[in-house]
Amino acid sequence: MPRLLNQEQRRILLRFLWERFKIPEEGLAPYDMFAFSRQAFLFKRQSSPIKWPEGAFVRCGLPFLRNVAGFLKPTTVFIQRFGHFAQKNVMELSEEDVCKLCSDGELILKRLPTSVELPGYVIIKLEGHLIGAGLLLEENRLVCRFPKAMRQAFAKLTLQ
Amino acid sequence: MIPFLDLLEAYREFIPDFPDLVDHLKRPLPVYFRLNTLKIGLQEAKSFLFTEGVEFKETVIPELVKVLHHDHSRPLISYHLGYIYPQALSSCLPVLALDPQPGETVLDLCAAPGGKATFMAQKMLDEGFIVANDRKRGRITSLLSNIKRLGITNTLVTQARGEHISLPYSFDKILVDAPCSGQGRYRVDPVTGAVKHVVRGKTNLPAIQKALIKRAFDMLTPGGTLVYSTCTLNVEENEEVVHFLLDKRRAYLTKFEPPVESSPGITVFKDKRYDRQLESARRFYPHKIDSVGFFVAKIVKPGTEKDTS
């Protein structure tokens, strides 16, 4: 069963989103946060506390952060839905770079935008569209963190 | 190979322009994309599709476009960004009939793969509460995947047999898009004349459908609305199931004004007579709407909260 995060646990996740992406707390204020199977979920807050159905429960809400090797990773679906709140560590890539990132799995960037700090996760945009997350490492090495099916799709084509 | 007329001949008496249906079924099913306004505006989504080389035209449902052409060898980025959901026009109709509103509590009893549940979330602006249930684990996977891809946060997914499900909630609105024989999806091979997409099995579908509709009705709040739908033309799986509910429970049908051509439900078929209220149910035939054949009945539970009678 999912566990409703208490105020302190919620604050830790919100602080991560603020410090890494400058996503304001208000953006996620209408949502409860739950932890389930190494992932945190955003669930639209209900007028009364949610009761979990016994024996039938599978999942609730949208996974937004995942614990990867002890670090928090924002999910692709979270970035696509809520990435517009982010004010830093957002990178616009060219079609060619997105294609290369997906086909090779990583990309060496010639230079970084001033609002990007390494190392850590960055939000990747293409022509203004929020795509997903990449992991930016030393020496401007950007590692693709898109889901496999999406990587394959982007590797095959670029937008016309 | 099943001869087409053996399967559908029984419906000739009530399907308007039956020969047109035969011709229509020789053509492939048209493809429609629903645009996910939880992630992107309608105009922006259309522009995006255009840049992807998708030729389309608008439909009577603002969120739905009919695809005229796209290169299937090219993956659609719009799909991976959660901007579109491939969905038949008729599959949107039960949601329009249910008319879910932001803040309501809604159940989709047979939800996988999630086309209708996610459209409901879109109509509700991702506000309120949806329970999306399905009985099969394999189908739950696709349901979860679509909910995630479309960026929905107000939905709880359960896995249970709909006939026996026990939930600690009552619902303002419930959709039972019941498992069915799928006759509305039939296509005819233009060369051999054989029918494609025929569902075979020994399952007693009407028995399951009756159990589902009764269980769903019992979970409605007084004044709540239940929509029963199938993608079959079979009277035993449609009117007879709704008639069963009207016989077993204090329920009544209410009118639904769909945005596409429809025919009234059947009240007399072979030697059987069904409740006259079934004229308020709607039948959608493939050749009339250029999509999958569907049946939709909108049912209200009498009560003080939202009684529209």
Side-chain angles (χ1 to χ4, degrees):
Chain A
M1 287 294 166
R3 181 170 45 84
L4 177 67
L5 299 188
N6 61 33
Q7 284 304 313
E8 177 57 19
Q9 292 163 330
R10 183 183 172 94
R11 202 174 54 77
I12 290 169
L13 300 187
L14 287 170
R15 192 171 61 211
F16 165 75
L17 292 173
W18 173 255
E19 288 178 354
R20 184 64 202 165
F21 300 110
K22 218 172 170 187
I23 291 177
E25 191 178 331
E26 300 76 51
L28 302 182
Y31 301 90
D32 278 331
M33 293 180 184
F34 291 93
F36 185 62
S37 180
R38 296 166 63 92
Q39 287 189 94
F41 291 79
L42 285 177
F43 189 64
K44 187 55 76 75
R45 185 166 301 122
Q46 304 297 315
S47 51
S48 54
I50 191 84
K51 294 176 195 164
W52 304 115
E54 285 182 22
F57 173 82
V58 177
R59 200 69 58 85
C60 71
L62 190 76
F64 78 111
L65 288 171
R66 185 171 293 132
N67 185 336
V68 179
F71 293 95
L72 291 172
K73 175 200 173 292
T75 64
T76 302
V77 288
F78 170 73
I79 286 171
Q80 290 178 354
R81 176 82 198 271
F82 295 94
H84 62 276
F85 286 121
Q87 299 165 63
K88 71 172 187 180
N89 286 316
V90 180
M91 294 183 64
E92 176 83 36
L93 293 186
S94 67
E95 289 174 17
E96 192 185 348
D97 281 349
V98 170
C99 193
K100 186 168 168 44
L101 176 67
C102 291
S103 53
D104 297 352
E106 63 177 59
L107 181 71
I108 304 297
L109 298 164
K110 289 180 186 121
R111 60 175 179 274
L112 296 180
T114 51
S115 70
V116 170
E117 304 159 349
L118 55 80
Y121 286 104
V122 291
I123 290 172
I124 296 173
K125 291 172 89 173
L126 171 61
E127 294 185 358
H129 297 274
L130 293 154
I131 299 176
L135 181 59
L136 190 59
L137 300 172
E138 300 300 332
E139 298 174 343
N140 295 358
R141 189 172 147 231
L142 180 64
V143 180
C144 185
R145 283 291 177 258
F146 300 169
K148 190 177 170 187
M150 204 171 112
R151 259 178 74 170
Q152 289 170 341
F154 274 108
K156 270 190 183 175
L157 82 158
T158 54
L159 295 171
Q160 297 302 300
Chain B
M1 296 288 200
I2 300 171
F4 169 71
L5 288 180
D6 286 2
L7 278 167
L8 294 185
E9 185 63 36
Y11 309 143
R12 180 188 282 269
E13 65 180 87
F14 60 75
I15 295 182
D17 305 319
F18 190 79
D20 292 349
L21 172 66
V22 178
D23 286 341
H24 184 270
L25 295 186
K26 290 175 183 166
R27 299 197 291 271
L29 266 174
V31 175
Y32 295 86
F33 290 159
R34 173 163 56 81
L35 310 177
N36 179 23
T37 49
L38 293 178
K39 277 194 168 177
I40 190 168
L42 283 182
Q43 288 311 317
E44 202 185 350
K46 289 172 188 172
S47 301
F48 196 94
L49 284 177
F50 184 75
T51 61
E52 287 191 288
V54 178
E55 292 173 33
F56 59 88
K57 70 173 187 179
E58 297 185 353
T59 70
V60 292
I61 300 171
E63 300 91 342
L64 198 74
V65 295
K66 182 178 181 181
V67 177
L68 304 174
H69 175 75
H70 82 92
D71 181 355
H72 289 269
S73 65
R74 293 162 50 101
L76 286 169
I77 297 303
S78 50
Y79 178 86
H80 292 282
L81 298 186
Y83 291 170
I84 60 167
Y85 184 95
Q87 184 165 25
L89 181 145
S90 39
S91 169
C92 296
L93 297 170
V95 177
L96 298 185
L98 196 66
D99 192 24
Q101 298 294 316
E104 288 183 330
T105 302
V106 180
L107 169 65
D108 186 347
L109 196 55
C110 313
K116 297 173 191 73
T118 56
F119 190 25
M120 292 196 292
Q122 186 175 340
K123 286 287 188 189
M124 293 164 71
L125 309 177
D126 202 24
E127 303 279 351
F129 180 45
I130 297 176
V131 176
N133 177 72
D134 208 274
R135 62 172 285 206
K136 290 189 179 172
R137 177 162 288 278
R139 288 168 59 81
I140 290 280
T141 305
S142 58
L143 172 63
L144 286 169
S145 168
N146 283 319
I147 289 170
K148 272 193 340 187
R149 188 175 59 82
L150 300 183
I152 291 162
T153 68
N154 73 342
T155 299
L156 184 148
V157 175
T158 59
Q159 185 194 353
R161 289 185 73 100
E163 310 95 292
H164 309 302
I165 192 168
S166 174
L167 295 170
Y169 330 106
S170 59
F171 295 91
D172 301 313
K173 290 176 178 170
I174 298 179
L175 173 64
V176 180
D177 185 50
C180 69
S181 56
Q183 292 174 349
R185 306 189 70 85
Y186 283 179
R187 292 282 118 180
V188 177
D189 188 310
V191 179
T192 65
V195 183
K196 298 186 278 189
H197 306 307
V198 174
V199 178
R200 293 186 182 85
K202 293 177 180 173
T203 311
N204 184 350
L205 286 168
I208 293 170
Q209 292 154 347
K210 286 171 184 170
L212 286 171
I213 197 172
K214 193 151 67 81
R215 181 72 199 108
F217 186 82
D218 290 343
M219 288 190 283
L220 271 181
T221 54
T225 303
L226 166 69
V227 165
Y228 175 82
S229 63
T230 70
C231 61
T232 188
L233 308 174
N234 187 353
V235 179
E236 284 182 0
E237 297 179 58
N238 293 329
E239 284 84 351
E240 193 160 316
V241 173
V242 178
H243 177 88
F244 166 83
L245 180 72
L246 298 178
D247 187 48
K248 296 288 180 192
R249 295 288 188 269
R250 203 160 72 85
Y252 62 90
L253 265 82
T254 186
K255 280 202 166 74
F256 156 54
E257 303 291 346
V260 291
E261 185 173 341
S262 63
S263 300
I266 308 294
T267 53
V268 180
F269 183 62
K270 295 185 178 171
D271 57 346
K272 289 184 178 171
R273 288 184 177 276
Y274 302 113
D275 194 304
R276 290 292 299 273
Q277 290 187 67
L278 275 154
E279 285 179 359
S280 295
R282 306 315 303 172
R283 288 184 151 258
F284 301 93
Y285 295 115
H287 58 307
K288 295 293 179 186
I289 61 170
D290 199 16
S291 189
V292 175
F294 245 76
F295 171 86
V296 177
K298 186 173 180 177
I299 300 153
V300 173
K301 184 174 196 171
T304 52
E305 288 180 33
K306 291 178 183 171
D307 195 349
T308 53
S309 62

